[in-house]
Amino acid sequence: MEFLRRRIEAQVLSLSGIVLGQIDFSQPPGDPGLFGPDSVCWRVHGDFTSMMVGGISALLLQALHPLALAGVWDHSNFREDLIGRLRRTGQFISGTTFGSRRDADWLIDKVRTIHLQVVGTAPDGRPYAASDPALLTWVHVAEVSSFLAAHLRYRNPQLSGADQDRYYAEVALIAERLGASNVPHSRAEVAAYLADIRPQLLCDERSREILRILLNAPAPSALAVPVGKLLMQAGIDLLPGWAQSLLEQRIGSARSRAIQAGVNSLAPILRWAVRGGAIHHARRRLGLPPRG
């Protein structure tokens, strides 16, 4: 059983930012980082299964904004190195959540510097810049609203409304430090923001290409192929109905129930297997017992 556990864990961690080896989550002892273990974001960001589902959903949601998509399209090698991009994004999220304050500050400064180089013109003729405060807010909201939705669906449906609002207020710090403006701090503000921005969203050929790339994403092994396909479908299923419609990926209620049943069967296995993720090292850094 231990051999099997380690094998599953190795494949899971191969998709995470921890394999980049740029952050030692176990150091320095006692450093709580930006949020600390009592934060809601430690709970939401600490579960691999729901974060993977939320991450897939967030990528598809972000691809519906022409300016956000243009920056990724023109300045990223995601088409050739999707797993590499996944790892780098994972490193930023886990590092700013679970890393020491020094590592979190380093990651934020690094991303701010990268954003300054991402400028260009979208296919519709509009200029874009990754450092645009409004664009940063869109990327942030698409991401964290997806993470929270996945957490509520696959990890803790009983998370209180107050804690959901706390989550949005906590993670707004990261977006604001990256330069985002008017960042929503609660469920009501997120809902209002999404309603306001919807007229700017559309599905074009590039959006469909993102979907195609994700649907055909490589898996770390043959055994992981069905898991990857399930998580991909779960990411689509998590999208709001209007976003599914834009992508022409409507999922009916029966299929949605089957997808959710599959993920709920998979999740306990992954939680049992993974004991060396960022949150586990961070808990040891703080002298806390292993997760239950």
Side-chain angles (χ1 to χ4, degrees):
M1 288 293 284
E2 181 61 15
F3 170 78
L4 176 63
R5 186 196 69 76
R6 288 180 179 274
R7 188 176 178 191
I8 295 171
E9 179 181 49
Q11 294 195 31
V12 169
L13 295 182
S14 74
L15 298 173
S16 74
I18 206 165
V19 298
L20 298 177
Q22 296 178 310
I23 295 176
D24 184 351
F25 289 92
S26 65
Q27 296 296 325
D31 187 327
L34 294 180
F35 302 104
D38 294 328
S39 62
V40 183
C41 64
W42 267 52
R43 282 183 267 163
V44 174
H45 296 174
D47 180 59
F48 174 82
T49 307
S50 59
M51 287 295 284
M52 276 295 293
V53 174
I56 291 166
S57 193
L59 281 173
L60 291 170
L61 200 55
Q62 289 165 353
L64 297 175
H65 193 300
L67 298 185
L69 182 53
V72 173
W73 195 273
D74 295 343
H75 297 269
S76 169
N77 67 341
F78 75 96
R79 292 185 288 275
E80 297 79 33
D81 186 24
L82 182 62
I83 290 179
R85 179 172 174 80
L86 178 67
R87 288 168 177 161
R88 292 188 294 275
T89 301
Q91 177 181 253
F92 181 80
I93 295 163
S94 61
T96 53
T97 305
F98 303 114
S100 67
R101 181 171 290 273
R102 178 178 176 180
D103 285 331
D105 290 343
W106 171 71
L107 284 166
I108 292 168
D109 290 343
K110 178 182 178 182
V111 170
R112 283 184 66 104
T113 300
I114 291 170
H115 281 170
L116 293 174
Q117 305 164 36
V118 179
V119 295
T121 304
D124 61 11
R126 287 183 293 168
Y128 68 79
S131 58
D132 176 0
L135 208 53
L136 286 165
T137 301
W138 160 248
V139 171
H140 168 77
V141 172
E143 193 170 77
V144 298
S145 63
S146 299
F147 291 156
L148 183 56
H151 182 81
L152 292 170
R153 179 170 293 183
Y154 291 113
R155 186 55 172 151
N156 181 16
Q158 280 75 48
L159 186 69
S160 71
D163 278 347
Q164 292 176 50
D165 286 343
R166 252 185 77 201
Y167 171 71
Y168 282 130
E170 287 170 2
V171 292
L173 169 70
I174 304 299
E176 288 162 353
R177 287 193 54 184
L178 287 174
S181 61
N182 302 313
V183 181
H185 281 63
S186 67
R187 290 168 298 157
E189 290 179 7
V190 167
Y193 173 86
L194 289 173
D196 185 58
I197 202 170
R198 268 186 62 182
Q200 301 178 41
L201 308 180
L202 58 88
C203 180
D204 59 14
E205 189 53 44
R206 287 182 168 186
S207 308
R208 287 186 283 271
E209 178 68 4
I210 295 289
L211 176 63
R212 187 194 65 78
I213 289 168
L214 286 173
L215 285 170
N216 294 283
S221 72
L223 282 175
V225 170
V227 172
K229 289 185 181 300
L230 174 62
L231 294 178
M232 178 65 201
Q233 290 302 305
I236 296 172
D237 182 45
L238 189 70
L239 286 166
W242 56 264
Q244 289 183 21
S245 295
L246 282 175
L247 288 162
E248 298 180 348
Q249 292 289 318
R250 290 293 306 194
I251 291 181
S253 57
R255 187 167 155 228
S256 176
R257 287 194 296 271
I259 291 168
Q260 292 182 45
V263 175
N264 283 323
S265 296
L266 170 70
I269 299 170
L270 300 185
R271 290 168 191 148
W272 162 75
V274 179
R275 302 177 190 175
I279 189 171
H280 304 89
H281 290 291
R283 288 184 66 85
R284 287 194 284 270
R285 182 180 81 234
L286 293 170
L288 299 172
R291 297 177 79 193

